[in-house]
Short mmCIF file of all heavy atoms in Angstrom, two decimals:
data_model
loop_
_atom_site.label_atom_id
_atom_site.label_comp_id
_atom_site.label_asym_id
_atom_site.label_seq_id
_atom_site.Cartn_x
_atom_site.Cartn_y
_atom_site.Cartn_z
N MET A 22 6.29 -4.19 -12.89
CA MET A 22 5.65 -3.04 -12.28
C MET A 22 6.60 -2.45 -11.24
O MET A 22 6.82 -3.02 -10.19
CB MET A 22 4.32 -3.47 -11.65
CG MET A 22 3.57 -2.32 -11.04
SD MET A 22 2.05 -2.80 -10.20
CE MET A 22 0.96 -2.90 -11.57
N TRP A 23 7.18 -1.33 -11.58
CA TRP A 23 8.20 -0.70 -10.73
C TRP A 23 7.65 -0.29 -9.37
O TRP A 23 8.32 -0.42 -8.36
CB TRP A 23 8.79 0.51 -11.46
CG TRP A 23 9.70 1.31 -10.58
CD1 TRP A 23 9.47 2.55 -10.08
CD2 TRP A 23 10.96 0.91 -10.05
NE1 TRP A 23 10.51 2.96 -9.29
CE2 TRP A 23 11.45 1.96 -9.25
CE3 TRP A 23 11.73 -0.24 -10.16
CZ2 TRP A 23 12.65 1.90 -8.59
CZ3 TRP A 23 12.93 -0.30 -9.50
CH2 TRP A 23 13.38 0.76 -8.72
N VAL A 24 6.41 0.20 -9.33
CA VAL A 24 5.85 0.68 -8.07
C VAL A 24 5.72 -0.47 -7.08
O VAL A 24 6.00 -0.32 -5.89
CB VAL A 24 4.47 1.35 -8.30
CG1 VAL A 24 3.84 1.76 -6.99
CG2 VAL A 24 4.62 2.55 -9.20
N LEU A 25 5.34 -1.65 -7.55
CA LEU A 25 5.23 -2.81 -6.67
C LEU A 25 6.59 -3.20 -6.11
O LEU A 25 6.73 -3.46 -4.92
CB LEU A 25 4.61 -3.99 -7.41
CG LEU A 25 4.39 -5.26 -6.61
CD1 LEU A 25 3.49 -4.99 -5.41
CD2 LEU A 25 3.80 -6.34 -7.47
N LEU A 26 7.61 -3.19 -6.94
CA LEU A 26 8.96 -3.51 -6.49
C LEU A 26 9.43 -2.48 -5.47
O LEU A 26 9.98 -2.83 -4.42
CB LEU A 26 9.93 -3.56 -7.67
CG LEU A 26 11.38 -3.85 -7.35
CD1 LEU A 26 11.51 -5.22 -6.69
CD2 LEU A 26 12.22 -3.79 -8.61
N GLU A 27 9.19 -1.21 -5.75
CA GLU A 27 9.57 -0.15 -4.81
C GLU A 27 8.83 -0.32 -3.49
O GLU A 27 9.42 -0.17 -2.42
CB GLU A 27 9.23 1.22 -5.42
CG GLU A 27 9.53 2.38 -4.51
CD GLU A 27 9.07 3.71 -5.07
OE1 GLU A 27 8.54 3.75 -6.19
OE2 GLU A 27 9.23 4.72 -4.37
N ALA A 28 7.55 -0.67 -3.56
CA ALA A 28 6.76 -0.85 -2.34
C ALA A 28 7.31 -2.00 -1.50
O ALA A 28 7.39 -1.91 -0.28
CB ALA A 28 5.30 -1.10 -2.70
N GLN A 29 7.70 -3.07 -2.15
CA GLN A 29 8.25 -4.21 -1.42
C GLN A 29 9.58 -3.87 -0.78
O GLN A 29 9.88 -4.31 0.33
CB GLN A 29 8.40 -5.42 -2.34
CG GLN A 29 7.08 -6.02 -2.74
CD GLN A 29 7.24 -7.10 -3.79
OE1 GLN A 29 8.19 -7.12 -4.55
NE2 GLN A 29 6.27 -8.00 -3.83
N MET A 30 10.38 -3.05 -1.43
CA MET A 30 11.69 -2.70 -0.91
C MET A 30 11.61 -1.67 0.21
O MET A 30 12.46 -1.65 1.09
CB MET A 30 12.58 -2.17 -2.04
CG MET A 30 12.94 -3.24 -3.07
SD MET A 30 13.80 -2.57 -4.51
CE MET A 30 15.25 -1.87 -3.77
N GLU A 31 10.60 -0.83 0.18
CA GLU A 31 10.52 0.28 1.13
C GLU A 31 9.46 0.05 2.20
O GLU A 31 8.86 1.00 2.68
CB GLU A 31 10.22 1.58 0.38
CG GLU A 31 11.36 2.04 -0.49
CD GLU A 31 11.10 3.41 -1.06
OE1 GLU A 31 10.17 4.10 -0.60
OE2 GLU A 31 11.84 3.79 -1.97
N ARG A 32 9.26 -1.18 2.58
CA ARG A 32 8.22 -1.47 3.57
C ARG A 32 8.71 -1.16 4.96
O ARG A 32 9.32 -1.97 5.63
CB ARG A 32 7.78 -2.93 3.46
CG ARG A 32 6.86 -3.14 2.29
CD ARG A 32 6.38 -4.53 2.16
NE ARG A 32 5.95 -5.13 3.41
CZ ARG A 32 5.73 -6.41 3.54
NH1 ARG A 32 5.90 -7.22 2.53
NH2 ARG A 32 5.33 -6.90 4.69
N HIS A 33 8.44 0.05 5.40
CA HIS A 33 8.79 0.40 6.77
C HIS A 33 7.54 0.29 7.63
O HIS A 33 6.51 -0.25 7.21
CB HIS A 33 9.47 1.75 6.85
CG HIS A 33 8.61 2.92 6.49
ND1 HIS A 33 7.43 3.22 7.11
CD2 HIS A 33 8.78 3.89 5.58
CE1 HIS A 33 6.91 4.30 6.61
NE2 HIS A 33 7.70 4.73 5.67
N ALA A 34 7.58 0.77 8.83
CA ALA A 34 6.53 0.55 9.81
C ALA A 34 5.15 1.01 9.34
O ALA A 34 4.16 0.30 9.53
CB ALA A 34 6.89 1.25 11.12
N THR A 35 5.05 2.16 8.71
CA THR A 35 3.76 2.68 8.28
C THR A 35 3.14 1.76 7.23
O THR A 35 1.95 1.44 7.29
CB THR A 35 3.89 4.11 7.71
OG1 THR A 35 4.51 4.92 8.69
CG2 THR A 35 2.54 4.68 7.35
N VAL A 36 3.95 1.32 6.29
CA VAL A 36 3.46 0.44 5.23
C VAL A 36 3.04 -0.90 5.83
O VAL A 36 1.99 -1.44 5.49
CB VAL A 36 4.51 0.27 4.12
CG1 VAL A 36 4.03 -0.72 3.06
CG2 VAL A 36 4.83 1.61 3.47
N ASN A 37 3.84 -1.43 6.74
CA ASN A 37 3.50 -2.70 7.37
C ASN A 37 2.21 -2.59 8.18
O ASN A 37 1.38 -3.50 8.16
CB ASN A 37 4.64 -3.19 8.26
CG ASN A 37 5.79 -3.75 7.46
OD1 ASN A 37 5.59 -4.23 6.36
ND2 ASN A 37 6.98 -3.68 8.02
N GLN A 38 2.02 -1.48 8.88
CA GLN A 38 0.78 -1.28 9.64
C GLN A 38 -0.41 -1.18 8.70
O GLN A 38 -1.48 -1.74 8.98
CB GLN A 38 0.88 -0.02 10.49
CG GLN A 38 1.80 -0.16 11.67
CD GLN A 38 1.99 1.16 12.40
OE1 GLN A 38 1.58 2.22 11.93
NE2 GLN A 38 2.61 1.10 13.57
N ALA A 39 -0.23 -0.48 7.59
CA ALA A 39 -1.32 -0.34 6.62
C ALA A 39 -1.68 -1.69 6.02
O ALA A 39 -2.87 -1.99 5.83
CB ALA A 39 -0.92 0.64 5.52
N ILE A 40 -0.68 -2.51 5.75
CA ILE A 40 -0.94 -3.85 5.21
C ILE A 40 -1.75 -4.66 6.23
O ILE A 40 -2.72 -5.32 5.87
CB ILE A 40 0.38 -4.55 4.85
CG1 ILE A 40 0.96 -3.91 3.59
CG2 ILE A 40 0.17 -6.05 4.65
CD1 ILE A 40 2.37 -4.37 3.25
N GLY A 41 -1.37 -4.57 7.49
CA GLY A 41 -2.12 -5.27 8.53
C GLY A 41 -3.56 -4.80 8.63
O GLY A 41 -4.48 -5.61 8.78
N CYS A 42 -3.76 -3.51 8.54
CA CYS A 42 -5.12 -2.95 8.59
C CYS A 42 -5.96 -3.43 7.41
O CYS A 42 -7.12 -3.81 7.56
CB CYS A 42 -5.09 -1.43 8.60
SG CYS A 42 -4.59 -0.74 10.18
N LEU A 43 -5.36 -3.39 6.22
CA LEU A 43 -6.09 -3.84 5.04
C LEU A 43 -6.42 -5.33 5.12
O LEU A 43 -7.50 -5.76 4.72
CB LEU A 43 -5.28 -3.55 3.76
CG LEU A 43 -5.20 -2.08 3.36
CD1 LEU A 43 -4.20 -1.88 2.24
CD2 LEU A 43 -6.57 -1.57 2.96
N MET A 44 -5.47 -6.11 5.64
CA MET A 44 -5.72 -7.55 5.80
C MET A 44 -6.89 -7.78 6.75
O MET A 44 -7.75 -8.62 6.47
CB MET A 44 -4.46 -8.24 6.31
CG MET A 44 -3.35 -8.33 5.29
SD MET A 44 -1.79 -8.94 5.96
CE MET A 44 -2.26 -10.51 6.64
N ALA A 45 -6.94 -7.04 7.84
CA ALA A 45 -8.02 -7.20 8.81
C ALA A 45 -9.35 -6.73 8.25
O ALA A 45 -10.39 -7.39 8.43
CB ALA A 45 -7.69 -6.44 10.09
N ARG A 46 -9.34 -5.58 7.56
CA ARG A 46 -10.58 -5.01 7.04
C ARG A 46 -11.15 -5.79 5.87
O ARG A 46 -12.35 -5.95 5.75
CB ARG A 46 -10.36 -3.57 6.60
CG ARG A 46 -10.69 -2.58 7.68
CD ARG A 46 -10.70 -1.17 7.13
NE ARG A 46 -9.44 -0.58 7.54
CZ ARG A 46 -8.71 0.24 6.82
NH1 ARG A 46 -9.11 0.61 5.64
NH2 ARG A 46 -7.58 0.71 7.27
N ARG A 47 -10.26 -6.24 4.98
CA ARG A 47 -10.72 -6.86 3.74
C ARG A 47 -10.58 -8.37 3.72
O ARG A 47 -11.01 -9.02 2.77
CB ARG A 47 -9.97 -6.27 2.56
CG ARG A 47 -10.25 -4.78 2.42
CD ARG A 47 -9.70 -4.25 1.15
NE ARG A 47 -9.96 -2.83 1.04
CZ ARG A 47 -9.99 -2.21 -0.11
NH1 ARG A 47 -9.77 -2.86 -1.22
NH2 ARG A 47 -10.23 -0.92 -0.15
N GLY A 48 -9.94 -8.92 4.74
CA GLY A 48 -9.78 -10.37 4.80
C GLY A 48 -8.89 -10.93 3.71
O GLY A 48 -9.15 -12.01 3.19
N CYS A 49 -7.85 -10.18 3.35
CA CYS A 49 -6.95 -10.61 2.28
C CYS A 49 -5.59 -10.98 2.87
O CYS A 49 -5.34 -10.79 4.05
CB CYS A 49 -6.80 -9.52 1.23
SG CYS A 49 -6.18 -7.95 1.85
N ASP A 50 -4.72 -11.50 2.01
CA ASP A 50 -3.38 -11.85 2.47
C ASP A 50 -2.42 -10.68 2.23
O ASP A 50 -2.82 -9.63 1.73
CB ASP A 50 -2.87 -13.13 1.81
CG ASP A 50 -2.69 -13.00 0.30
OD1 ASP A 50 -2.86 -11.91 -0.24
OD2 ASP A 50 -2.37 -14.04 -0.33
N VAL A 51 -1.17 -10.86 2.60
CA VAL A 51 -0.17 -9.79 2.52
C VAL A 51 0.00 -9.29 1.09
O VAL A 51 0.03 -8.08 0.85
CB VAL A 51 1.19 -10.27 3.08
CG1 VAL A 51 2.27 -9.24 2.86
CG2 VAL A 51 1.07 -10.60 4.55
N ASP A 52 0.11 -10.22 0.15
CA ASP A 52 0.33 -9.82 -1.24
C ASP A 52 -0.84 -9.01 -1.78
O ASP A 52 -0.64 -8.01 -2.48
CB ASP A 52 0.57 -11.05 -2.12
CG ASP A 52 1.87 -11.75 -1.79
OD1 ASP A 52 2.81 -11.07 -1.34
OD2 ASP A 52 1.95 -12.98 -1.99
N ASP A 53 -2.06 -9.42 -1.46
CA ASP A 53 -3.23 -8.68 -1.92
C ASP A 53 -3.30 -7.29 -1.29
O ASP A 53 -3.65 -6.32 -1.95
CB ASP A 53 -4.51 -9.45 -1.63
CG ASP A 53 -4.65 -10.69 -2.51
OD1 ASP A 53 -4.03 -10.75 -3.58
OD2 ASP A 53 -5.41 -11.60 -2.10
N ALA A 54 -2.97 -7.21 -0.01
CA ALA A 54 -2.99 -5.91 0.67
C ALA A 54 -1.96 -4.96 0.07
O ALA A 54 -2.24 -3.78 -0.15
CB ALA A 54 -2.73 -6.09 2.16
N LEU A 55 -0.77 -5.48 -0.23
CA LEU A 55 0.25 -4.64 -0.86
C LEU A 55 -0.19 -4.21 -2.25
O LEU A 55 0.00 -3.06 -2.65
CB LEU A 55 1.58 -5.40 -0.92
CG LEU A 55 2.79 -4.64 -1.45
CD1 LEU A 55 3.04 -3.38 -0.63
CD2 LEU A 55 4.02 -5.53 -1.44
N LEU A 56 -0.84 -5.11 -2.97
CA LEU A 56 -1.34 -4.77 -4.29
C LEU A 56 -2.41 -3.69 -4.22
O LEU A 56 -2.45 -2.78 -5.05
CB LEU A 56 -1.89 -6.02 -4.99
CG LEU A 56 -2.31 -5.86 -6.44
CD1 LEU A 56 -1.13 -5.39 -7.29
CD2 LEU A 56 -2.85 -7.16 -6.97
N ILE A 57 -3.26 -3.75 -3.21
CA ILE A 57 -4.28 -2.71 -3.01
C ILE A 57 -3.60 -1.36 -2.80
O ILE A 57 -4.02 -0.35 -3.39
CB ILE A 57 -5.18 -3.06 -1.80
CG1 ILE A 57 -6.07 -4.25 -2.14
CG2 ILE A 57 -6.02 -1.85 -1.38
CD1 ILE A 57 -6.76 -4.87 -0.95
N LEU A 58 -2.55 -1.33 -1.98
CA LEU A 58 -1.82 -0.07 -1.75
C LEU A 58 -1.19 0.45 -3.04
O LEU A 58 -1.26 1.64 -3.35
CB LEU A 58 -0.73 -0.26 -0.70
CG LEU A 58 -1.18 -0.31 0.75
CD1 LEU A 58 0.02 -0.55 1.65
CD2 LEU A 58 -1.89 0.96 1.15
N VAL A 59 -0.58 -0.45 -3.80
CA VAL A 59 0.08 -0.05 -5.05
C VAL A 59 -0.95 0.48 -6.05
O VAL A 59 -0.72 1.51 -6.69
CB VAL A 59 0.89 -1.22 -5.65
CG1 VAL A 59 1.34 -0.92 -7.06
CG2 VAL A 59 2.08 -1.53 -4.76
N GLU A 60 -2.08 -0.21 -6.17
CA GLU A 60 -3.12 0.27 -7.09
C GLU A 60 -3.64 1.63 -6.66
O GLU A 60 -3.92 2.49 -7.50
CB GLU A 60 -4.25 -0.75 -7.17
CG GLU A 60 -3.86 -2.00 -7.93
CD GLU A 60 -4.93 -3.07 -7.89
OE1 GLU A 60 -5.90 -2.95 -7.10
OE2 GLU A 60 -4.78 -4.05 -8.64
N HIS A 61 -3.75 1.84 -5.36
CA HIS A 61 -4.18 3.15 -4.85
C HIS A 61 -3.14 4.22 -5.21
O HIS A 61 -3.51 5.34 -5.60
CB HIS A 61 -4.39 3.07 -3.33
CG HIS A 61 -4.97 4.30 -2.73
ND1 HIS A 61 -6.27 4.70 -2.97
CD2 HIS A 61 -4.44 5.24 -1.90
CE1 HIS A 61 -6.51 5.83 -2.32
NE2 HIS A 61 -5.42 6.17 -1.66
N CYS A 62 -1.86 3.88 -5.09
CA CYS A 62 -0.78 4.80 -5.47
C CYS A 62 -0.90 5.21 -6.93
O CYS A 62 -0.80 6.40 -7.26
CB CYS A 62 0.59 4.14 -5.29
SG CYS A 62 1.11 3.90 -3.63
N LEU A 63 -1.07 4.23 -7.78
CA LEU A 63 -1.12 4.49 -9.21
C LEU A 63 -2.36 5.30 -9.58
O LEU A 63 -2.30 6.18 -10.43
CB LEU A 63 -1.09 3.18 -9.99
CG LEU A 63 0.21 2.38 -9.86
CD1 LEU A 63 0.07 1.03 -10.54
CD2 LEU A 63 1.38 3.16 -10.44
N HIS A 64 -3.47 4.99 -8.94
CA HIS A 64 -4.72 5.69 -9.23
C HIS A 64 -4.66 7.15 -8.79
O HIS A 64 -5.13 8.05 -9.50
CB HIS A 64 -5.88 4.97 -8.56
CG HIS A 64 -7.20 5.62 -8.78
ND1 HIS A 64 -7.85 5.59 -9.99
CD2 HIS A 64 -8.00 6.33 -7.94
CE1 HIS A 64 -8.98 6.27 -9.88
NE2 HIS A 64 -9.10 6.72 -8.65
N ARG A 65 -4.09 7.40 -7.63
CA ARG A 65 -4.05 8.75 -7.06
C ARG A 65 -2.76 9.51 -7.38
O ARG A 65 -2.65 10.69 -7.04
CB ARG A 65 -4.19 8.68 -5.54
CG ARG A 65 -5.44 8.03 -5.06
CD ARG A 65 -6.50 9.04 -4.88
NE ARG A 65 -7.67 8.39 -4.30
CZ ARG A 65 -8.85 8.92 -4.32
NH1 ARG A 65 -9.02 10.10 -4.84
NH2 ARG A 65 -9.88 8.28 -3.82
N HIS A 66 -1.77 8.83 -7.98
CA HIS A 66 -0.47 9.44 -8.27
C HIS A 66 0.21 9.94 -7.00
O HIS A 66 0.65 11.09 -6.91
CB HIS A 66 -0.61 10.58 -9.29
CG HIS A 66 -1.25 10.16 -10.56
ND1 HIS A 66 -0.61 9.39 -11.49
CD2 HIS A 66 -2.51 10.36 -11.04
CE1 HIS A 66 -1.42 9.15 -12.50
NE2 HIS A 66 -2.59 9.73 -12.25
N ILE A 67 0.29 9.05 -6.00
CA ILE A 67 0.93 9.36 -4.73
C ILE A 67 1.97 8.30 -4.42
O ILE A 67 2.05 7.28 -5.10
CB ILE A 67 -0.12 9.43 -3.58
CG1 ILE A 67 -0.88 8.12 -3.44
CG2 ILE A 67 -1.06 10.61 -3.79
CD1 ILE A 67 -1.86 8.09 -2.27
N THR A 68 2.76 8.52 -3.37
CA THR A 68 3.78 7.55 -2.99
C THR A 68 3.16 6.43 -2.15
O THR A 68 2.05 6.55 -1.65
CB THR A 68 4.91 8.20 -2.16
OG1 THR A 68 4.37 8.60 -0.89
CG2 THR A 68 5.52 9.39 -2.88
N ILE A 69 3.92 5.35 -1.98
CA ILE A 69 3.45 4.22 -1.19
C ILE A 69 3.24 4.65 0.26
O ILE A 69 2.31 4.18 0.92
CB ILE A 69 4.42 3.03 -1.30
CG1 ILE A 69 3.82 1.76 -0.68
CG2 ILE A 69 5.76 3.33 -0.66
CD1 ILE A 69 2.70 1.16 -1.44
N HIS A 70 4.05 5.56 0.75
CA HIS A 70 3.93 6.01 2.13
C HIS A 70 2.66 6.84 2.33
O HIS A 70 2.00 6.73 3.36
CB HIS A 70 5.17 6.79 2.56
CG HIS A 70 6.42 5.99 2.38
ND1 HIS A 70 6.68 4.86 3.13
CD2 HIS A 70 7.46 6.12 1.53
CE1 HIS A 70 7.84 4.34 2.74
NE2 HIS A 70 8.31 5.09 1.77
N GLU A 71 2.33 7.66 1.35
CA GLU A 71 1.09 8.43 1.43
C GLU A 71 -0.13 7.51 1.37
O GLU A 71 -1.10 7.70 2.11
CB GLU A 71 1.02 9.45 0.29
CG GLU A 71 2.03 10.58 0.43
CD GLU A 71 2.14 11.42 -0.83
OE1 GLU A 71 2.06 10.89 -1.95
OE2 GLU A 71 2.31 12.64 -0.66
N ALA A 72 -0.06 6.48 0.53
CA ALA A 72 -1.15 5.52 0.44
C ALA A 72 -1.30 4.75 1.75
O ALA A 72 -2.42 4.48 2.20
CB ALA A 72 -0.92 4.55 -0.71
N ALA A 73 -0.18 4.42 2.38
CA ALA A 73 -0.22 3.71 3.65
C ALA A 73 -0.87 4.57 4.73
O ALA A 73 -1.69 4.09 5.52
CB ALA A 73 1.19 3.30 4.07
N THR A 74 -0.54 5.85 4.75
CA THR A 74 -1.14 6.77 5.72
C THR A 74 -2.66 6.85 5.49
O THR A 74 -3.44 6.84 6.45
CB THR A 74 -0.50 8.16 5.61
OG1 THR A 74 0.91 8.02 5.83
CG2 THR A 74 -1.08 9.12 6.62
N GLN A 75 -3.06 6.91 4.25
CA GLN A 75 -4.49 6.95 3.95
C GLN A 75 -5.18 5.65 4.33
O GLN A 75 -6.32 5.66 4.80
CB GLN A 75 -4.71 7.26 2.46
CG GLN A 75 -4.31 8.67 2.10
CD GLN A 75 -4.46 8.96 0.62
OE1 GLN A 75 -4.98 8.15 -0.15
NE2 GLN A 75 -3.99 10.13 0.21
N ALA A 76 -4.50 4.53 4.13
CA ALA A 76 -5.07 3.24 4.51
C ALA A 76 -5.25 3.17 6.03
O ALA A 76 -6.27 2.65 6.51
CB ALA A 76 -4.16 2.10 4.04
N LEU A 77 -4.30 3.70 6.77
CA LEU A 77 -4.43 3.71 8.23
C LEU A 77 -5.58 4.61 8.68
O LEU A 77 -6.21 4.36 9.70
CB LEU A 77 -3.12 4.16 8.89
CG LEU A 77 -1.97 3.15 8.79
CD1 LEU A 77 -0.68 3.78 9.27
CD2 LEU A 77 -2.30 1.89 9.57
N ALA A 78 -5.84 5.65 7.90
CA ALA A 78 -6.95 6.56 8.21
C ALA A 78 -8.30 5.98 7.78
O ALA A 78 -9.34 6.54 8.10
CB ALA A 78 -6.72 7.90 7.54
N GLY A 79 -8.25 4.87 7.05
CA GLY A 79 -9.48 4.22 6.64
C GLY A 79 -10.07 4.73 5.32
O GLY A 79 -11.23 4.48 5.04
N THR A 80 -9.27 5.42 4.53
CA THR A 80 -9.80 5.98 3.28
C THR A 80 -9.40 5.17 2.06
O THR A 80 -9.68 5.59 0.94
CB THR A 80 -9.33 7.44 3.10
OG1 THR A 80 -7.90 7.47 3.08
CG2 THR A 80 -9.85 8.32 4.21
N VAL A 81 -8.79 4.01 2.25
CA VAL A 81 -8.43 3.15 1.12
C VAL A 81 -9.34 1.96 1.14
O VAL A 81 -9.58 1.37 2.17
CB VAL A 81 -6.96 2.69 1.19
CG1 VAL A 81 -6.66 1.67 0.11
CG2 VAL A 81 -6.04 3.87 1.06
#
């Protein structure tokens, strides 16, 4: 899955913050939170950074 690999390589501050928020909200680990972001990307046809911004806004 290319999007997952890209997400792991491009984890900058926004993505890391979104992962932390998802972990706190959903009680999941880092891998599950990243997978949630990637699935959101694929479903909405957006970039990982856009998905991270939406996760921080509470819409993921």
Side-chain angles (χ1 to χ4, degrees):
M22 182 183 278
W23 172 250
V24 176
L25 182 58
L26 179 61
E27 178 185 358
Q29 289 173 335
M30 292 173 61
E31 292 188 13
R32 282 181 45 193
H33 67 57
T35 305
V36 176
N37 285 333
Q38 288 174 350
I40 288 171
C42 285
L43 288 171
M44 289 172 57
R46 266 190 258 142
R47 297 189 181 203
C49 58
D50 64 6
V51 173
D52 293 331
D53 289 338
L55 185 57
L56 187 59
I57 290 167
L58 283 178
V59 169
E60 288 174 349
H61 186 69
C62 288
L63 295 173
H64 179 72
R65 301 270 185 197
H66 304 287
I67 59 176
T68 68
I69 190 71
H70 304 293
E71 291 169 322
T74 302
Q75 291 177 6
L77 290 171
T80 59
V81 173

